[in-house]
Amino acid sequence: MLEGKDTHFAAAAGNGSVMLADAMVAPLRQTTEASWRERLAQLDLVPDLGENIGSVRWFRGLGTLTLLSVAALALLPDFGPIYGPQPSIATEAEFEEARAQMIMPIAYGSDSGKRMAATDAVVALAGSPERPRIELTASLGRGDSFARVLQRAGVGGNEANDVANMVSGVTSLSDIEPGTPINIVLGKRSAQNQPRPLESVAFRARFDLNLAINREGGALRLSREPIMVDDTPLRIRGTVGSQGIYRSARAAGAPASAIQDYLKVISGRMPLSAIRATDEFDIIIAYKRAETGEVKVGTLLYAGVDRDGKSPVQMLKWTNGDNSQWFEASGVGESKGALSRPVNGAVTSGFGGRRHPILGYMRMHSGLDFKASYGQPIFAVTDGVVAYAGRKGGYGNFVQLNHGGGLASGYGHMSRIAARPGSRVRRGQIIGYVGSTGLSTGPHLHYELYRNGRAVNPNSIKFTQRAQLGGSDLARFKGTLQRLKSVKAGAALAPLRTQPKSTDEPKREIDRLTLQIDHSRTNG
């Protein structure tokens, strides 16, 4: 019993010591935990890295930044595609069931969407059926043949040639402009290996003519439909103004191509810089209007400049023989190139050494001799100033022109001088008349060309032939010029008056005469 009690007492004493120890350690443990939390709370893990660089606090902040950056990169999500479940491909039966609910079956005759097998009523065709008619439009290419265009469209060779012959009997095939549309109708052919018969062809043969070829009673017949055309030229006038000729003419309605041609023509007669703002430009262009509404703008016909207080410039395009060139109002043709020809005649003696026909010994011939009749006009080869006009030794009556840039020209053996010293002359202006004064054996022109005071070979400069109209040609030229200048500005833009086509016109000549007599009595 004693032992038991002692043991129980010892156990109780042991438990008491443990509880006492726990009671003694608990405050110490609470104090340690509180100090650790306070220390952790006071620990600055994210200091400002801009302060105290190099201190322990700064390195602690750098470590925190590095740790957070590594954690962010480690947790960075993937930006790759996200694959969903793969769609299943519909079977043929499923597709047909879905097709029955679409608009697609309507295109197949409103079937049910199910594939329908051919029945006994379906009979295979021996061949594809042909259309009874074919309507098409072909275009005539540049340099193409009218018959070849029809053949390429499917017309037989014989019929194509027949149509070409019928058209050529009315108008030249070359008059049909490239790009003209040709409306063709082909009928049904009798056999697969035969060309389709031609039913009709219709096109515009000229600006004033429509042609149609139709099959009537098995034969092709040609019908013409004339188109009324007003060919009044388009005249455009206006003041040059401060903007210049080009802008002023464009503002007045002149086409750009016509203005460019106009400036080229005018610049050949006078410097464009000499045109003042108060001057007036005058442009006349070929112009056609059809009653169907089409308009055809042609080429430049007349170019003029009305200069206040000075002689006007009037240039008319005229066809002289096979050449078409510009002529002045006086009938003198336009000169092109550096220098024009001083007189209309052939060269009889060239530049270089020769035996003088009067003196009889070898002598330098410093110019060209032109064959010309007595009194024939002599023209200035280009614009210049009269430096000398009078008698000059063996040259006889002599005129020298200075053209600037060290270039000058001389004209000898004149019968009469028409230029005064110091006056300014234009290219083509008459400065004298052919004669035989001085050392001369007969009427001719001795022409010299100087460069920096020394005579040079005039053949080094290419001459351009000048044309002088005369007689009936000059009369027709002046008549055309007067007719063009009588056209009022903008008259071609007036409303086109079409003549009404009478449906009850008498077909017999005697009926037409009777109608005319009755009409004259009524008006009388």
Side-chain angles (χ1 to χ4, degrees):
M1 287 296 293
L2 185 57
E3 290 182 359
K5 291 180 179 180
D6 293 339
T7 303
H8 179 73
F9 178 77
N15 292 335
S17 61
V18 172
M19 293 176 63
L20 181 60
D22 291 339
M24 294 175 64
V25 173
L28 181 60
R29 183 181 302 163
Q30 293 177 358
T31 303
T32 304
E33 291 179 357
S35 62
W36 180 79
R37 289 175 182 171
E38 291 177 358
R39 253 189 252 170
L40 185 61
Q42 295 176 358
L43 185 62
D44 190 5
L45 297 178
V46 286
D48 188 359
L49 296 181
E51 299 178 355
N52 301 326
I53 300 174
S55 62
V56 176
R57 181 171 173 269
W58 184 85
F59 278 107
R60 184 169 60 250
L62 181 62
T64 303
L65 176 62
T66 304
L67 181 62
L68 292 176
S69 300
V70 172
L73 292 175
L75 298 177
L76 186 69
D78 186 13
F79 292 99
I82 299 176
Y83 297 98
Q86 294 293 333
S88 58
I89 300 176
T91 61
E92 184 176 0
E94 292 174 345
F95 175 77
E96 291 296 334
E97 291 292 340
R99 193 176 75 91
Q101 304 174 12
M102 303 179 188
I103 198 174
M104 187 186 301
I106 300 178
Y108 295 100
S110 299
D111 60 5
S112 62
K114 299 289 187 178
R115 285 198 179 144
M116 302 167 62
T119 63
D120 296 338
V122 177
V123 179
L125 294 176
S128 59
E130 289 190 351
R131 289 184 292 175
R133 302 177 69 208
I134 295 180
E135 299 180 3
L136 53 91
T137 301
S139 297
L140 181 65
R142 187 177 300 276
D144 203 352
S145 170
F146 185 79
R148 285 291 301 163
V149 173
L150 298 179
Q151 291 180 14
R152 286 197 299 268
V155 181
N158 295 333
E159 286 191 342
N161 293 329
D162 293 342
V163 171
N165 293 333
M166 295 172 67
V167 173
S168 62
V170 177
T171 181
S172 176
L173 296 179
S174 60
D175 292 342
I176 305 176
E177 296 185 357
T180 299
I182 304 173
N183 298 322
I184 303 173
V185 178
L186 301 176
K188 186 177 181 180
R189 55 187 174 184
S190 57
Q192 291 283 350
N193 57 352
Q194 295 295 326
R196 287 180 174 269
L198 179 65
E199 288 192 1
S200 65
V201 175
F203 64 98
R204 192 163 189 163
R206 294 195 309 263
F207 192 71
D208 60 346
L209 180 63
N210 279 333
L211 291 181
I213 300 175
N214 299 302
R215 185 175 296 277
E216 299 177 2
L220 296 175
R221 298 186 182 277
L222 175 68
S223 60
R224 291 179 286 185
E225 182 183 352
I227 302 174
M228 190 181 72
V229 174
D230 179 21
D231 57 355
T232 303
L234 177 61
R235 188 176 188 181
I236 303 172
R237 292 176 57 91
T239 305
V240 174
S242 58
Q243 295 182 346
I245 293 181
Y246 186 86
R247 292 187 177 181
S248 300
R250 286 290 289 164
S257 58
I259 301 176
Q260 294 175 0
D261 296 337
Y262 171 83
L263 294 176
K264 290 179 183 178
V265 175
I266 297 301
S267 62
R269 299 303 306 154
M270 61 177 295
L272 295 179
S273 58
I275 300 178
R276 297 177 296 181
T278 56
D279 295 341
E280 295 183 355
F281 60 86
D282 194 355
I283 303 173
I284 301 180
I285 309 168
Y287 196 76
K288 292 183 178 180
R289 294 181 301 162
E291 62 178 341
T292 53
E294 294 83 2
V295 173
K296 187 175 182 181
V297 181
T299 58
L300 181 68
L301 300 178
Y302 173 83
V305 178
D306 294 335
R307 310 175 67 189
D308 187 15
K310 297 183 179 180
S311 58
V313 177
Q314 299 178 0
M315 301 296 296
L316 175 64
K317 194 172 186 180
W318 187 257
T319 301
N320 185 21
D322 296 333
N323 298 325
S324 180
Q325 56 179 318
W326 289 91
F327 285 80
E328 300 177 4
S330 59
V332 178
E334 180 194 28
S335 297
K336 299 179 181 179
L339 299 177
S340 62
R341 207 172 185 87
V343 70
N344 294 327
V347 177
T348 58
S349 182
F351 181 88
R354 66 164 187 174
R355 182 178 297 277
H356 196 278
I358 296 178
L359 300 178
Y361 58 85
M362 294 297 296
R363 184 180 176 181
M364 178 64 183
H365 187 235
S366 57
L368 300 178
D369 287 344
F370 287 89
K371 181 181 179 181
S373 58
Y374 191 89
Q376 190 171 339
I378 301 172
F379 308 102
V381 294
T382 188
D383 298 346
V385 178
V386 180
Y388 181 87
R391 193 80 179 185
K392 187 178 181 181
Y395 291 103
N397 292 331
F398 182 80
V399 172
Q400 179 175 334
L401 304 179
N402 289 340
H403 307 293
L407 190 67
S409 59
Y411 313 80
H413 307 312
M414 292 184 178
S415 62
R416 185 163 60 92
I417 297 175
R420 293 179 299 174
S423 62
R424 179 173 293 276
V425 297
R426 295 182 305 171
R427 179 172 60 178
Q429 182 175 335
I430 298 176
I431 59 175
Y433 300 90
V434 174
S436 185
T437 56
L439 294 177
S440 173
T441 58
H444 71 283
L445 171 66
H446 176 78
Y447 168 75
E448 293 184 356
L449 187 64
Y450 311 99
R451 181 175 282 119
N452 298 325
R454 298 183 59 183
V456 296
N457 187 359
N459 287 326
S460 60
I461 305 298
K462 185 178 180 181
F463 290 109
T464 301
Q465 289 283 355
R466 295 179 56 84
Q468 175 66 52
L469 298 177
S472 60
D473 291 338
L474 182 60
R476 289 189 296 106
F477 173 83
K478 289 186 176 296
T480 303
L481 179 62
Q482 187 65 26
R483 186 173 65 255
L484 286 178
K485 294 188 66 177
S486 65
V487 176
K488 295 182 179 180
L493 303 179
L496 184 62
R497 297 180 179 178
T498 58
Q499 297 293 337
K501 297 181 180 180
S502 178
T503 57
D504 54 352
E505 182 182 0
K507 296 182 179 180
R508 297 187 304 171
E509 187 66 24
I510 185 64
D511 296 335
R512 292 195 187 97
L513 294 175
T514 305
L515 182 62
Q516 291 177 2
I517 294 173
D518 295 340
H519 181 71
S520 61
R521 289 177 178 176
T522 303
N523 294 336

